[in-house]
Each structure stands twice: as C-alpha cells, then as structure tokens.
Amino acid sequence: LIRDEMTIPGLLGEAFMNFEEMNITFDPTYKYKVSSDKYSKSECPAWTDRVTWKVKGDQKQQTKLRPIVYGRAELRSSEHRPVYAVFEMMPGNSPRANDLISNAVDKPIPNI
C-alpha cells in the first residue's frame, strides 16, 4: 500500500484531508477475472474499493464512531471484490447525532 493512489495524496495533504480509514488487511479488490479468484493480467491489482469516513470537527467530541471490522466480501460476479465496514456509534450530547442514529436504527434493512 506504499504506492497506493489514495494513500499518497492523503499523506501529501492534497486530497482526503481529515478522512479516516481502517488499516487494510485484505488482498487487493480489483481487477479480477469475473467468476474467478485470479487477477486479470490487463491491469495491476489494486485496492479500488474503500470505506472512508469523516466526522465534522465540531461533532468529533460529541459523537464516538468506533470502527469494528473492515474487510472484503468474496463475491465473484464482478471484476471487483466489494468491501464492507462495521462501526459502533455512541452519540454524545448532540441532539442531531441522536436523531441520525434513531432514524437509521428505526428503518428496516432493505433486501438486496
């Protein structure tokens, strides 16, 4: 990941400023041969599918967002392997954060 195109600009302060990402411990997510576990020879394997997040500065102390799991799903129907992340969110004293969590929790998860 030293030459990762998303990490380098962030380190240089050119992009993704103040965004966070958990450590990547999974294999590259792109480019696979469809329905296969083999990388395509046409492109260099890369981590093109990512989960990043940003908590606004004024809400950072009020909302505790703790990453739990970061990984990739072994679905083979595309040239990508999708990634997923699981978070624990503990609202603080922010009424807005409490409303967001309540609204998200009260909604059923859609069938995909």
Side-chain angles (χ1 to χ4, degrees), residues 48-112:
T48 59
D49 304 277
R50 310 285 271 272
V51 176
T52 61
W53 70 93
K54 179 179 181 179
V55 177
K56 291 182 180 179
D58 61 334
Q59 296 174 355
K60 212 168 214 174
Q61 296 302 319
Q62 298 174 1
T63 305
K64 306 297 182 206
L65 185 65
R66 186 171 70 108
I68 307 289
V69 178
Y70 190 27
R72 70 177 216 173
E74 298 305 319
L75 302 176
R76 292 167 183 79
S77 57
S78 167
E79 59 194 19
H80 291 261
R81 293 294 190 268
V83 298
Y84 60 89
V86 177
F87 297 87
E88 178 180 69
M89 186 171 180
M90 302 297 290
N93 299 326
S94 167
R96 175 76 177 131
N98 289 331
D99 288 344
L100 289 172
I101 291 172
S102 294
N103 289 336
V105 171
D106 291 338
K107 293 181 182 176
I109 298 173
N111 292 331
I112 297 176

Side-chain angles (χ1 to χ4, degrees), residues 1-2 11 18 21 26 32 49 65 67 72 83 85 87 111:
L1 285 168
I2 291 172
L11 291 175
N18 301 317
E21 180 181 28
F26 47 84
Y32 282 89
D49 304 277
L65 185 65
R72 70 177 216 173
V83 298
F87 297 87
N111 292 331

Side-chain angles (χ1 to χ4, degrees), residues 3 16-17 40-41 45 50 93 111:
R3 293 193 171 120
F16 307 107
M17 291 173 41
S40 170
K41 292 182 181 177
R50 310 285 271 272
N93 299 326
N111 292 331

